[in-house]
Amino acid sequence: MKKGETFFISAAAGAVGQLVRVYREVMIDGLHVVGSASDDAKVKFLIEECGFDAAFNYKTTDTTKALVEYCPKGIAIYFENVGGKTLEAVINHANNFARIIACGMISQYNLEKPEPVHNLMQVVRKRLRIEGFIVSDLAAEYGADFTREEDVAVGIENAPEAFIGMLKGKNFGR
């Protein structure tokens, strides 16, 4: 990452996006951080609490238009948590040699037939790097508690509702 580059994180109010809040003080000066979230309260949280430079609601905002507006220099690094049309929009807006860290694809989890990404030739043309990542890979180094803001469900009887809420983007954190 370099000064002036844009770092975009989708579904950023989750555990990975909240790391920006923790690391903002040690991040590269001048790094432009943009996030998306599933509701307006989370967008506000990203800007006011996590220190994102910009954020938008991906359920009510056209992602392509938002990326043009909030990432005018393109995207150098993308932390993928949504998949589908969001991934497709990011690939179109990515700079040459951009890096994509694929951590999740929540928009695809409940689909009977996952949506295809139609622009993968851009990966070749732009020489993009895509690599899978699982947050728990860092647990040994950084500890298991990655978030400060999270919804907690107590009791096994509340597990189904909590799980469905997580899949629908109705909670904070993990």
Side-chain angles (χ1 to χ4, degrees), residues 124-137:
V124 176
R125 188 180 75 70
K126 294 181 176 187
R127 283 96 62 215
L128 304 179
R129 181 180 303 161
I130 302 175
E131 185 171 339
F133 173 77
I134 298 174
V135 175
S136 61
D137 291 345

Side-chain angles (χ1 to χ4, degrees), residues 118-165:
H118 297 284
N119 59 346
L120 289 177
M121 188 58 197
Q122 293 286 9
V123 172
V124 176
R125 188 180 75 70
K126 294 181 176 187
R127 283 96 62 215
L128 304 179
R129 181 180 303 161
I130 302 175
E131 185 171 339
F133 173 77
I134 298 174
V135 175
S136 61
D137 291 345
L138 298 177
E141 185 174 348
Y142 294 102
D145 187 17
F146 288 108
T147 66
R148 293 184 193 167
E149 184 78 29
E150 62 187 1
D151 286 327
V152 176
V154 178
I156 193 70
E157 68 277 5
N158 295 315
E161 183 180 347
F163 186 72
I164 291 167

Side-chain angles (χ1 to χ4, degrees), residues 46-122:
L46 293 175
I47 293 169
E48 294 180 3
E49 300 295 326
C50 296
F52 280 62
D53 296 302
F56 63 93
N57 181 332
Y58 67 84
K59 290 188 175 183
T60 61
T61 304
D62 180 296
T63 299
T64 298
K65 289 179 182 176
L67 294 178
V68 169
E69 179 179 350
Y70 298 124
C71 309
K73 296 180 181 179
I75 297 169
I77 305 155
Y78 172 48
F79 209 105
E80 164 66 284
N81 293 299
V82 175
K85 294 180 189 318
T86 298
L87 176 57
E88 200 165 285
V90 169
I91 288 172
N92 283 336
H93 201 64
N95 296 335
N96 289 341
F97 305 103
R99 286 90 67 206
I100 298 173
I101 303 126
C103 185
M105 300 202 177
I106 195 144
S107 72
Q108 306 301 297
Y109 295 164
N110 293 324
L111 300 180
E112 195 170 301
K113 183 177 178 185
E115 299 170 331
V117 176
H118 297 284
N119 59 346
L120 289 177
M121 188 58 197
Q122 293 286 9

